[in-house]
Amino acid sequence: MLRCRLVKFYLVFVSVFLIYSCLGKRDGRLSLVEHKCGTCHSVEVAIGKKRDKEDWKKVIHGMKIRGLKITEKEEQAILSYLIEYHGE
């Protein structure tokens, strides 16, 4: 009986850990969008429209011209998030 409970606990723990890990990757990119894009306007403004990859690149380029400070790695993470969750 105790062994069965331990196995169930283990399965639940592993499932929660895997779900949290997957969400953490997405949330990490979302928090980057919130941190970088949300300094000048709400995140809703940033992700309010669906755009294709080229349009998102243009939007990011325009924000960089206006003063957005991001590294190349941050730019790629933001772009991948926008394409995956807010792309056409």
Side-chain angles (χ1 to χ4, degrees):
M1 185 69 162
L2 179 61
R3 189 177 208 183
C4 184
R5 286 184 183 173
L6 286 174
V7 170
K8 287 179 182 179
F9 173 78
Y10 177 76
L11 290 175
V12 169
F13 177 78
V14 169
S15 299
V16 169
F17 177 77
L18 290 173
I19 291 169
Y20 179 77
S21 296
C22 291
L23 290 176
K25 290 177 185 172
R26 190 188 90 200
D27 289 347
R29 292 183 299 171
L30 177 58
S31 66
L32 183 61
V33 169
E34 290 171 339
H35 177 71
K36 294 295 185 173
C37 304
T39 58
C40 296
H41 51 74
S42 70
V43 176
E44 290 77 22
V45 169
I47 60 176
K49 287 185 175 179
K50 297 230 179 245
R51 304 172 195 269
D52 64 20
K53 182 178 181 176
E54 291 306 311
D55 286 341
W56 280 123
K57 284 182 177 181
K58 290 175 187 175
V59 168
I60 293 171
H61 178 73
M63 295 302 109
K64 287 170 62 177
I65 289 173
R66 291 173 180 83
L68 175 63
K69 303 285 188 230
I70 57 174
T71 66
E72 184 66 32
K73 187 176 178 180
E74 290 171 331
E75 183 175 347
Q76 290 305 316
I78 290 170
L79 181 61
S80 72
Y81 171 81
L82 293 172
I83 291 167
E84 185 174 345
Y85 293 99
H86 303 284
E88 290 184 330

